[in-house]
Amino acid sequence: MPINEALFAAMKAASYIKPNAGKSYKLQRVAEELIAKQAPANPKCRVEDISAPMADGYAVPLRVFTPLVAYGAPLPEALEESSANDTPVASAISAILPAVLPKVLPKIPIKESTSSGNTGSIPDDSGTEIPVITPHGTILFFHGGGWATGGINLYTQACAHMAVRLQRRVISVEYRLAPEYRFPTAVEDCYEVARQLFAGELPISGVGGSADVDHPQSAAPTAPAGGGDISATIPAPDPDSIVLFGDSAGGNLAAAVSLMARDRGEFMPRTQMLLYPVVGNDYNPETSPFESVRTNGTDYILTAQDMADYIDMYRSSVADLTNPYFAPLTAHDLSNQPRTLVLSAEYCPLRDEDEAYARRLQLVNDNVSCYRIHDGIHGYLLNTSAVGLVATTYRIIEHFLDGTPLEPAPGTGTTANAPEGGDAWQDVLGTD
């Protein structure tokens, strides 16, 4: 479906102005931290920082998001008023950084209703009663950023919204970044966190303190939102209710962790969700087998050259390119993988490899779904102008996880006002 002309012109200009990822990743990290610091807290979600020890002595920072109210339920008036006073100024920062990265501070409205479905309450520091719910499960989230940028600070608002919207606890992983830490450090970090989660070794049920972690790529831990000790409301996660989820490079890590878990036999994820994941290894328009690298590889913020740079920063050797834990699409055997949801974006250079991965999984797995998000560009989960795309994505995820009805809907993304309209998504595999 044709994209809005004005938006396309803006994206094309930004794509040509910004430096390639290999030259700008350090600047992008700084910009992301500046933007992340302006993000207001979500009072509907409790946040605590913990860590997971690695075999080499490093402690991987984790941020845990626990929804405090049912989705659509209002908070007590006192908390709503206090949160309204926390006004973000990220728009001023992002306005001076258009050549570095797209706007990334989500401003996703939360639907309000008069029904909360709460199961209890706890007092916050002001004595206000905060409704408490029991999460439906746990999402272990791996962030995107080409293995070289991104982080739990940048993704805090998105993960808080995810927790409330999906009514699940979200654990966001601050794996070590390339090129300082090349493959396989990131995937080993993520695998070990997942192993500890499945084994019940993560301290997510403790009092909501913060881990004292010396991490140069992370800001200081934040205090838990809402205050108080709610350890009794956080049961140990049921392995059947744990979902691996990642976007972009994080989708790559989720897929790699699932393959690694199958091969090592220490635990086995039951469900994984991959949002525009990196699963391939060739982003040269002249040699790539995927047409989307050529059609979407220059004008939509993330370029084919960016992807080539990220690959070069992440790999330790040429041999890594054919390692399935580096590029899952190169795996000879995709059997015994979790129930999988793959979400591709129409104007993303990774679109075709994502859909090819879903088709390969479908050949040996009975429960694979793949949807193309119309009008989507890579990274829209963190894009302030992509509220419609995010809403569509969560409708599909709710359908996948909870079986809620998924009816065709008019396009709600960047071309929602285009005369031709069109559906917001396409069922790529045609199995739904």
Side-chain angles (χ1 to χ4, degrees):
M1 135 184 344
I3 201 165
N4 178 277
E5 291 184 5
L7 179 63
F8 174 70
M11 288 193 299
K12 184 174 182 179
S15 300
Y16 279 92
I17 292 172
K18 74 178 183 66
N20 292 330
K23 298 179 180 178
S24 65
Y25 72 94
K26 290 183 179 180
L27 179 59
Q28 182 161 333
R29 288 179 187 174
V30 173
E32 290 173 348
E33 287 298 328
L34 288 173
I35 291 175
K37 287 179 180 179
Q38 310 309 315
N42 186 334
K44 297 190 175 186
C45 185
R46 170 187 169 86
V47 181
E48 62 178 319
D49 285 352
I50 61 175
S51 63
M54 301 292 106
D56 62 2
Y58 183 76
V60 171
L62 309 174
R63 186 157 292 164
V64 183
F65 303 82
T66 302
L68 295 177
V69 297
Y71 177 61
L75 278 176
E77 184 176 347
L79 287 184
E80 290 288 9
E81 291 176 355
S82 68
S83 67
N85 293 328
D86 192 4
T87 304
V89 294
S91 58
I93 296 176
S94 60
I96 63 174
L97 295 170
V100 180
L101 73 166
K103 298 175 183 177
V104 294
L105 178 62
K107 298 177 183 176
I108 305 169
I110 296 181
K111 177 183 176 183
E112 303 292 351
S113 75
T114 58
S115 173
S116 66
N118 301 325
T119 60
S121 65
I122 59 171
D124 78 334
D125 292 338
S126 65
T128 303
E129 293 291 312
I130 301 177
V132 175
I133 65 165
T134 300
H136 300 331
T138 299
I139 294 174
L140 185 61
F141 182 75
F142 308 126
H143 68 80
W147 307 282
T149 64
I152 58 177
N153 293 323
L154 182 66
Y155 277 76
T156 287
Q157 271 201 315
C159 286
H161 178 69
M162 185 189 306
V164 175
R165 175 67 190 252
L166 299 180
Q167 294 290 277
R168 285 167 168 82
R169 183 175 301 104
V170 175
I171 302 174
S172 183
V173 181
E174 182 91 319
Y175 56 85
R176 284 172 278 188
L177 299 180
E180 294 88 346
Y181 298 94
R182 293 177 178 269
F183 178 81
T185 301
V187 67
E188 291 289 358
D189 283 353
C190 293
Y191 174 86
E192 178 58 19
V193 172
R195 188 201 64 76
Q196 292 181 31
L197 176 64
F198 276 86
E201 298 174 4
L202 290 181
I204 60 172
S205 59
V207 179
S210 297
D212 183 12
V213 178
D214 181 15
H215 195 307
Q217 296 159 350
S218 172
T222 58
D229 178 5
I230 61 171
S231 58
T233 69
I234 306 179
D238 175 3
D240 288 333
S241 70
I242 298 173
V243 178
L244 302 187
F245 185 22
D247 71 319
S248 190
N252 167 281
L253 294 169
V257 166
S258 291
L259 290 168
M260 193 176 283
R262 177 201 63 187
D263 297 341
R264 296 183 180 180
E266 295 181 288
F267 66 94
M268 190 60 225
R270 278 69 160 177
T271 306
Q272 66 177 352
M273 303 189 302
L274 315 176
L275 175 58
Y276 37 76
V278 183
V279 290
N281 59 15
D282 183 2
Y283 299 97
N284 183 335
E286 296 182 2
T287 58
S288 172
F290 299 112
E291 187 61 24
S292 61
V293 171
R294 287 174 280 279
T295 58
N296 298 338
T298 56
D299 299 333
Y300 301 97
I301 307 298
L302 178 73
T303 66
Q305 184 59 56
D306 287 335
M307 284 306 308
D309 288 351
Y310 286 132
I311 290 288
D312 286 343
M313 284 191 284
Y314 183 44
R315 67 178 178 87
S316 297
S317 68
V318 174
D320 292 340
L321 296 176
T322 54
N323 186 321
Y325 305 149
F326 182 96
L329 192 57
T330 67
H332 297 297
D333 179 11
L334 291 178
S335 63
N336 298 319
Q337 286 300 278
R339 177 173 177 245
T340 301
L341 171 65
V342 177
L343 294 165
S344 65
E346 182 176 8
Y347 295 105
C348 173
L350 310 181
R351 182 195 66 207
D352 292 351
E353 70 181 59
D354 294 344
E355 295 170 7
Y357 190 65
R359 292 187 180 97
R360 282 202 55 204
L361 282 171
Q362 187 188 38
L363 293 176
V364 290
N365 295 275
D366 294 332
N367 205 336
V368 179
S369 300
C370 181
Y371 297 89
R372 178 185 297 181
I373 306 300
H374 286 167
D375 309 323
I377 64 170
H378 191 89
Y380 69 74
L381 184 67
L382 295 181
N383 196 314
T384 56
S385 63
V387 174
L389 299 175
V390 174
T392 295
T393 296
Y394 277 119
R395 287 179 55 231
I396 294 172
I397 289 175
E398 288 167 337
H399 174 67
F400 175 74
L401 291 179
D402 301 323
T404 58
L406 181 62
E407 301 296 334
T412 55
T414 53
T415 63
N417 298 320
E420 58 271 12
D423 289 341
W425 49 264
Q426 172 187 342
D427 183 356
V428 173
L429 301 180
T431 58
D432 202 42

